[in-house]
Amino acid sequence: MRSSKIVHVISAHAEGEVGDVIVGGVTPPPGETLWEQRSFIAQDEVLRNFVLNEPRGGVFRHVNLLVPPKHPDADAAFIIMEPEDTPPMSGSNSICVSTVLLDGGLIEMQEPVTEMLLEAPGGLVKVRAECKNGKAERIYVQNLPSFADKIGVPLDVPGLGIINVDTAYGGDSFVVVDAAALGFEIVEAEAKEIARLGVIITNAANDQLGFTHPENPDWDHISFCAFCGPLSETETGLTGKSAVAIQPGKVDRSPTGTAVSARMALMAAKGQMQKGQTFEAVSIIGSRFTGRIVEEVQVGGRAAIVPEISGRGWVTGTHQHMLDPSDPWPGGYRLSDTWGA
């Protein structure tokens, strides 16, 4: 089989959300920092298009590129490629990357617990993996500092009118809406409508509210819409369902680690959750992430939390993505039947 390139991938998912990991065939992008490398990938788009566009990818796929870390203390580094964004951090993708590193033998597994320090474009994240019989069974990720941005502000949404929303950062930026107030129970049959409406709400929030990270001015938009269900008390804290709409129009199958972090930051700001409690987030397919507040910090002069999220990841296969020199679509293609307008 002839090919002008071969990209080696270990595929994985975290609680249902796909997060493939490129382990070979791609040289590190230029840049003095991981953020500069991430920015090159976002602007260049060659690698993004090759692995995310059809026929190799699809709107359901995220792909992570392993690169040598820039920080001297980090064990590994990764750059996240989502359908529309190349974000600072991702909870489900960090769980997939950690699972691939350990289950794939790239980092030596220590049973019963392996600790790693990973470098994401947005900063360092501490990882603790519970390991047994050669399998990383549960991954704990200490996420980037997370904070509430706007609480209870009006948003004029086309087709809906004015609704009250929150905005927050949990390693990525969110507009957060009350799912029940919009008529959603967060069940599988609602996925298409949640995805459709979530894109409309996200676009409206970017137009009317905006977002800029106080310490990273390059991150100046809202990425996702989180539909959050009602909270219930548990023996150790709280639980609640949620569904995150991802551009250009899909629903995260996992509970979304950055959304769990953002929601905990909002709950802390509203006095609903304290350090020491847990928050169990349930996705649209019934999968679960557990979150807790590790400590309270400051980000750009505003109150923030350091969240920890945990979940499970599984390797689903290995792939060698190739490009035949005669292929008329070397960068792939996107159609509006799945990718939106």
Side-chain angles (χ1 to χ4, degrees):
M1 293 180 291
R2 65 177 186 171
S3 181
S4 59
K5 68 169 72 175
I6 302 177
V7 176
H8 303 271
V9 174
I10 299 178
S11 295
H13 77 88
E15 301 292 352
E17 186 71 350
V18 173
D20 292 352
V21 182
I22 298 172
V23 296
V26 177
T27 58
E32 293 300 315
T33 66
L34 202 63
W35 186 259
E36 290 178 0
Q37 290 181 310
R38 166 246 160 236
S39 298
F40 175 86
I41 284 177
Q43 294 160 14
D44 178 69
E45 292 194 318
V46 172
L47 179 62
R48 282 182 50 87
N49 289 340
F50 184 74
V51 296
L52 291 175
N53 288 356
E54 298 173 46
R56 296 166 194 86
V59 71
F60 64 91
R61 190 179 301 281
H62 299 171
V63 181
N64 302 277
L65 173 63
L66 290 183
V67 294
K70 296 293 186 178
H71 195 285
D73 296 333
D75 297 298
F78 63 106
I79 297 169
I80 310 137
M81 292 174 279
E82 295 178 345
E84 289 288 340
D85 270 323
T86 312
M89 175 55 182
S90 166
S92 64
N93 282 290
S94 63
I95 290 172
C96 286
V97 167
S98 300
T99 300
V100 166
L101 287 171
L102 294 172
D103 288 9
L106 282 78
I107 288 180
E108 184 179 0
M109 182 183 294
Q110 303 289 335
E111 298 185 12
V113 175
T114 305
E115 294 185 351
M116 301 181 290
L117 186 64
L118 302 185
E119 187 176 8
L124 295 174
V125 292
K126 294 180 181 178
V127 172
R128 185 176 80 258
E130 294 177 348
C131 304
K132 184 178 181 181
N133 297 326
K135 166 73 182 129
E137 293 187 328
R138 189 168 194 87
I139 308 294
Y140 297 78
V141 179
Q142 188 169 300
N143 196 7
L144 303 178
S146 304
F147 54 87
D149 186 32
K150 297 178 174 68
I151 296 178
V153 295
L155 180 67
D156 192 356
V157 180
L160 275 185
I162 296 176
I163 63 173
N164 283 330
V165 304
D166 302 328
T167 61
Y169 181 83
D172 209 332
S173 39
F174 289 84
V175 55
V176 180
V177 302
D178 183 334
L182 297 177
F184 292 108
E185 298 178 22
I186 311 179
V187 293
E188 292 181 22
E190 298 170 340
K192 186 173 183 179
E193 182 59 17
I194 287 173
R196 184 195 70 82
L197 185 59
V199 169
I200 294 172
I201 293 173
T202 302
N203 292 340
N206 274 307
D207 290 341
Q208 299 169 41
L209 303 177
F211 175 84
T212 301
H213 193 285
E215 295 180 351
N216 183 2
D218 285 349
W219 202 250
D220 59 358
H221 69 276
I222 294 170
S223 296
F224 307 126
C225 178
F227 292 76
C228 292
L231 295 169
S232 301
E233 291 187 3
T234 67
E235 290 184 0
T236 58
L238 299 163
T239 185
K241 298 184 76 173
S242 60
V244 170
I246 298 175
Q247 300 275 17
K250 61 154 282 190
V251 172
D252 195 328
R253 275 64 172 152
S254 81
T256 314
T258 49
V260 174
S261 300
R263 191 174 186 182
M264 288 195 295
L266 284 166
M267 288 192 288
K270 296 176 182 180
Q272 297 171 319
M273 183 177 181
Q274 288 77 41
K275 181 180 175 182
Q277 292 183 304
T278 64
F279 172 56
E280 186 173 50
V282 184
S283 80
I284 197 167
I285 66 168
S287 59
R288 298 167 185 264
F289 283 163
T290 300
R292 69 183 184 95
I293 298 172
V294 176
E295 62 178 314
E296 298 171 349
V297 293
Q298 295 277 315
V299 174
R302 67 178 71 186
I305 64 167
V306 174
E308 180 189 75
I309 54 170
S310 71
R312 302 166 299 169
W314 295 270
V315 170
T316 59
T318 59
H319 303 274
Q320 291 179 321
H321 293 309
M322 299 181 179
L323 176 61
D324 189 300
S326 66
D327 189 333
W329 295 280
Y333 42 82
R334 298 185 176 195
L335 291 177
S336 61
D337 59 344
T338 56
W339 285 95

